[in-house]
Amino acid sequence: RRLMDGETDAALKGLDGAGPARLLLRRAVELSWEGCGPDEIRRGVEELAIREIPRYGRRLADLGMLANVATLAGLLGTIFGLQQSFGSLAVAESAQKATVLAAGISQAMNTTAFGLMVAVPCLVAHTRLGALQARRTEACDAAVVKLLNFFDARQSRVLRMADHRAARGGAA
């Protein structure tokens, strides 16, 4: 709206701050203010987008990896617990076999539970943050396309007005 009113400085101030969307929109306004045409603005914004858009999901892969590692650590603990159980059965007296077996199975189940207690929230967070990343990327794309279309339309109006003036001047 500020651009339509010719308030470029106010538009730039409104785009102060961090975040890929603001940076891309700010770059487009700056290039327009410098007198660049729509194609130059588009190229400038695309170049910046290649660097900035990945910031939305910078650490997202770490959550997925943490969920996988926690699951595997729980599985490894399960294997160690079962190995301990069956290894202890071989040397335990008959009266103690049930106790030794129960202790090993308990260790195995505890490590499995711990692995899942870490992995499940990580997977939920990964899914929710992935969806948020997609929404933010789509919103950023939509805002940039809308602004670029504004610059295209403005350029078309300027060219039409110049053609109209030239036609009137040539006919006079």
Side-chain angles (χ1 to χ4, degrees):
R1 172 158 207 107
R2 291 179 177 151
L3 286 175
M4 285 191 271
D5 296 338
E7 300 174 13
T8 304
D9 288 336
L12 286 170
K13 284 182 185 175
L15 295 172
D16 282 343
R22 286 178 183 241
L23 290 171
L24 294 174
L25 294 172
R26 182 176 183 81
R27 182 68 179 143
V29 172
E30 288 170 345
L31 290 171
S32 172
W33 193 51
E34 292 170 7
C36 295
D39 290 335
E40 292 170 294
I41 295 170
R42 182 171 282 110
R43 283 192 301 274
V45 169
E46 287 172 353
E47 183 179 310
L48 185 60
I50 290 169
R51 287 193 319 265
E52 293 299 323
I53 292 296
R55 288 179 52 196
Y56 281 135
R58 181 174 287 155
R59 300 284 182 220
L60 195 56
D62 294 346
L63 271 177
M65 182 198 62
L66 183 60
N68 286 329
V69 168
T71 302
L72 293 174
L75 178 60
L76 186 61
T78 301
I79 291 169
F80 285 153
L82 291 175
Q83 283 177 333
Q84 178 185 340
S85 294
F86 294 119
S88 299
L89 282 178
V91 295
E93 295 178 19
S94 296
Q96 293 179 332
K97 286 189 181 195
T99 304
V100 169
L101 187 60
I105 290 174
S106 175
Q107 177 187 347
M109 294 299 108
N110 286 337
T111 58
T112 301
F114 179 74
L116 291 175
M117 286 188 312
V118 172
V120 170
C122 285
L123 287 173
V124 169
H126 183 270
T127 301
R128 293 190 53 107
L129 291 173
L132 177 62
Q133 173 194 8
R135 284 193 308 271
R136 284 187 174 177
T137 300
E138 289 169 5
C140 180
D141 288 345
V144 168
V145 166
K146 186 175 181 178
L147 184 59
L148 292 175
N149 287 342
F150 167 77
F151 291 138
D152 283 339
R154 185 176 68 180
Q155 179 71 19
S156 295
R157 274 194 311 274
V158 168
L159 291 174
R160 279 195 310 271
M161 288 173 54
D163 288 346
H164 181 69
R165 285 185 187 133
R168 279 188 11 200

